[in-house]
Amino acid sequence: MTKTAVLLLNFGEPEHPTREEVVPFLERIFAHNAALMGPATPEQVRARSRRLAEERADGLIAEYEAIGGSPLPAQAREQAKLLQAELARRGVDAPVLLGMQFTAPTIAEALAAARAQGVQQVVALPVYPLSGPSTTVAALDEVDAELQTSGWRVTLHRLSGWHRHPSYLRLRAEAIARVLDAHHLALGDGRTRLVFSAHGTPMKYLEEGSRYDVYVRDFCASVAARLEVSDYVIGYQNHANRPGVRWTQPEVDAVIAEVDADAVVVDAVSFMHEQSETLAELDHELREHAEARGLKFYRVPVPHAEPEFIGVLADLVEPFARAAGPLETGTVAIGGVVLRQCRCQPTPGTHCMNPAIPD
């Protein structure tokens, strides 16, 4: 039987709120997105990234301290452990290795570990439901680049956008319903508004062809339909820490400032872990904006370790982990959805649930 490893791709966050961890983390992010700020030499990119990281570090450290440190690394390790156990329960013996884009263990380190274990094929799964240019696409690109650099010839299965998995849509709708029930709220009463909060992205990426905003709208509409509501709003959590960079609109703060309601129920649609963007930006900052207007604020927890979510990840991985070699796009169906060639990560053989979504 072909020995397979699952590479669970993740953004990463520093585990401890220290400059020793936070500055290099931010520096890598700014360097990775250097093109947003125009042409520059490698030396200029390094200097600018370091300067921006130093400027941003204290604010991010304060956020981490306010939430008791980022839970993302521990939750990511938990996801990997639970996914490996679920695959084993299904009769699939495959180690699940974490590969982080901006913290340890890096994607390169994860691939090296798989190679050392004698793996013959790798299933690369970004743990981002909504395919974005700096998350899903960039993570898969990095896998390709690391394999080329290392010279490791291994069968690679790439999975891209998967927010249309029926079980995933159902569990996200059920998570919202549980919050409504727990607080005796009803979305149809006209005084409680559902707010979807998505991670923002620079407009430059959308103008270059990314369909991330299309996926956000598709996901929110699909979840709202399962809740049988049409009255909802979408806002973006933008990170305006690069001068002159335009981001997706409307900002979620502006949405909260204008919403006509007595209460808001906020669902963080881009995230599969609790992290600074949920625990600090939403639970602290956005809550303050809402309560200053007299709004009651409720935030839907991210179902990072729910058995149903782990089942979704296992559903995505299993057909490829059982394969004895490359699979053509269009030959795999998961939850009744046929996976086609990805439009955002066009490397041949990148499987995705999104191609049928109209622009």
Side-chain angles (χ1 to χ4, degrees), residues 107-129:
I107 292 173
E109 289 168 344
L111 287 170
R115 188 176 188 177
Q117 293 178 38
V119 163
Q120 296 163 293
Q121 66 177 356
V122 171
V123 184
L125 173 63
V127 68
Y128 310 113

Side-chain angles (χ1 to χ4, degrees), residues 228-290:
E228 299 183 347
V229 297
S230 58
D231 188 16
Y232 63 88
V233 287
I234 301 172
Y236 289 92
Q237 294 174 238
N238 292 332
H239 290 177
N241 47 23
R242 299 175 183 85
V245 176
R246 295 177 297 114
W247 287 73
T248 37
Q249 299 295 329
E251 293 198 17
V252 71
D253 289 1
V255 167
I256 292 297
E258 297 177 2
V259 68
D260 180 16
D262 297 324
V264 290
V265 176
V266 179
D267 188 29
V269 302
S270 300
F271 306 104
M272 285 322 311
H273 314 84
E274 298 292 359
Q275 55 198 95
S276 60
E277 284 93 342
T278 61
L279 299 176
E281 293 178 18
L282 296 182
D283 290 358
H284 289 185
E285 297 168 20
L286 194 65
R287 179 186 294 276
E288 288 181 2
H289 289 307

Side-chain angles (χ1 to χ4, degrees), residues 294-348:
L295 297 171
K296 294 181 179 179
F297 181 95
Y298 305 94
R299 208 260 298 171
V300 181
V302 177
H304 75 279
E306 293 287 337
E308 294 82 2
F309 176 59
I310 302 304
V312 167
L313 297 182
D315 288 349
L316 294 166
V317 167
E318 185 177 0
F320 301 94
R322 291 188 183 279
L327 296 175
E328 293 185 13
T329 56
T331 63
V332 177
I334 296 172
V337 181
V338 177
L339 275 65
R340 306 289 185 185
Q341 173 62 48
C342 182
R343 295 172 61 179
C344 295
Q345 214 280 0
T347 303

